Amino acid sequence: MLTKLFKKPEDFDINEAINLVSSRTTGGIVIFLGKVREESHGRRVKKLIYEAYEEMAMKEMKRIREEALQKFPIEEILIWHRYGELEVEENTILIVAAGKHRKESFEACIWAVDEVKKRVPIWKKEITDEGEFWIEGNKVRKA
Amino acid sequence: MVMCVRVKVRYFARFRDIAGVSEEEFDIPDDAKVKDLIELIKKKHPKFNDEIFEQNEEADVNVSKNGRYVDFDEELREGDIIALFPPVSGG
């Protein structure tokens, strides 16, 4: 599956992801793996609770993949996202872009991460030492 | 006589906290648009008016119909699934 949501405890198998985008003509693969870090704008993060509108998130991830294949001269791109209660150091998102050469793979990977963050209906709630906060785009709201 | 259609409304993230439910149904006139439905939602849940629409641009409110982003002028049909949610924050 080149676009997929993983509900914790399900996690990414990065080797499987690489196999899914690879072919005999692939010369450059770029991997972006997002993780939960322990700090967010000065707040000490205990965990992030990711919520997804699953049906729409799946559709939007498929659309982003199709657009990336149109927009960049890449061969394949994979978009995976996790949701549920994710602890510090856990995986959150995996994007793997494959092309004949590295340049288009880097560009497609960066573009796809940005589009996921803008469009895919997934939200994170930060559980921190300073309280609980919804993250909405670049805004932070007390939960 | 005005015919009515029934649509399902789903709320996510902080908007679900504000609505107090994750989904509910509304009967609306069959020529209604998203903005008409929003008026009904604001009447039913005054907190939406106070906490979302009074303080934010419409840009801070996302609406989808059957899994695709739409704007406030989108027309609604029987059985549509409408979702209201704040700006997303995946990744």
Side-chain angles (χ1 to χ4, degrees):
Chain A
M1 285 280 276
L2 290 157
T3 52
K4 192 176 170 190
L5 282 173
F6 292 69
K7 184 163 179 145
K8 192 184 166 178
E10 256 198 300
D11 200 354
F12 309 142
D13 176 337
I14 294 172
N15 285 322
E16 183 198 350
I18 291 169
N19 286 336
L20 283 170
V21 300
S22 297
S23 76
R24 290 176 57 84
T25 55
T26 306
I29 290 179
V30 171
I31 301 167
F32 174 78
L33 175 65
K35 294 174 84 80
V36 180
R37 63 164 190 275
E38 66 175 6
E39 178 274 338
S40 171
H41 301 96
R43 298 182 293 276
R44 192 120 194 116
V45 174
K46 292 178 186 155
K47 65 183 171 191
L48 297 179
I49 302 176
Y50 279 80
E51 171 183 339
Y53 176 5
E54 294 166 50
E55 302 92 325
M56 182 174 170
M58 280 301 301
K59 287 183 188 175
E60 204 61 31
M61 288 159 70
K62 280 191 184 129
R63 288 194 275 261
I64 292 169
R65 175 177 166 271
E66 283 157 15
E67 288 172 35
L69 291 170
Q70 295 287 320
K71 205 173 163 65
F72 301 93
I74 51 171
E75 296 181 326
E76 191 50 271
I77 186 162
L78 170 148
I79 303 172
W80 286 353
H81 206 301
R82 289 180 88 204
Y83 66 110
E85 295 196 13
L86 302 182
E87 312 281 337
V88 173
E89 293 188 85
E90 282 202 87
N91 298 330
T92 63
I93 182 174
L94 179 68
I95 308 239
V96 184
K100 288 192 177 69
H101 308 284
R102 68 184 183 282
K103 184 166 183 282
E104 54 262 36
S105 301
F106 272 112
E107 287 173 353
C109 188
I110 291 169
W111 180 84
V113 177
D114 288 344
E115 291 300 305
V116 168
K117 283 174 166 282
K118 271 188 271 184
R119 291 163 52 180
V120 177
I122 295 176
W123 303 267
K124 47 180 166 269
K125 190 199 265 185
E126 285 181 1
I127 312 301
T128 76
D129 287 347
E130 291 77 20
E132 300 189 2
F133 301 90
W134 284 111
I135 309 302
E136 300 181 356
N138 53 13
K139 292 183 182 152
V140 179
R141 305 201 183 264
K142 191 103 181 72
Chain B
M1 195 178 94
V2 179
M3 299 286 286
C4 271
V5 297
R6 180 164 288 189
V7 297
K8 185 189 276 185
V9 178
R10 301 184 67 180
Y11 306 98
F12 289 93
R14 190 167 57 95
F15 287 11
R16 185 191 49 249
D17 294 347
I18 289 171
V21 292
S22 58
E23 61 178 62
E24 59 190 342
E25 291 185 327
F26 282 87
D27 290 319
I28 54 171
D30 74 349
D31 59 349
K33 297 179 173 181
V34 165
K35 59 187 174 194
D36 304 314
L37 174 64
I38 301 264
E39 289 308 312
L40 293 177
I41 291 171
K42 289 199 296 200
K43 266 192 203 126
K44 185 162 183 187
H45 305 290
K47 276 176 83 179
F48 261 108
N49 210 24
D50 305 338
E51 295 184 24
I52 305 296
F53 290 96
E54 292 276 289
Q55 300 182 16
N56 293 287
E57 300 294 320
E58 283 187 358
D60 282 340
V61 179
N62 287 305
V63 182
S64 70
K65 184 175 97 170
N66 305 328
R68 191 178 274 277
Y69 285 101
V70 293
D71 64 33
F72 282 44
D73 285 321
E74 180 77 8
E75 290 186 4
L76 302 176
R77 300 272 175 270
E78 174 74 27
D80 280 343
I81 297 174
I82 305 303
L84 250 65
F85 50 86
V88 302
S89 55

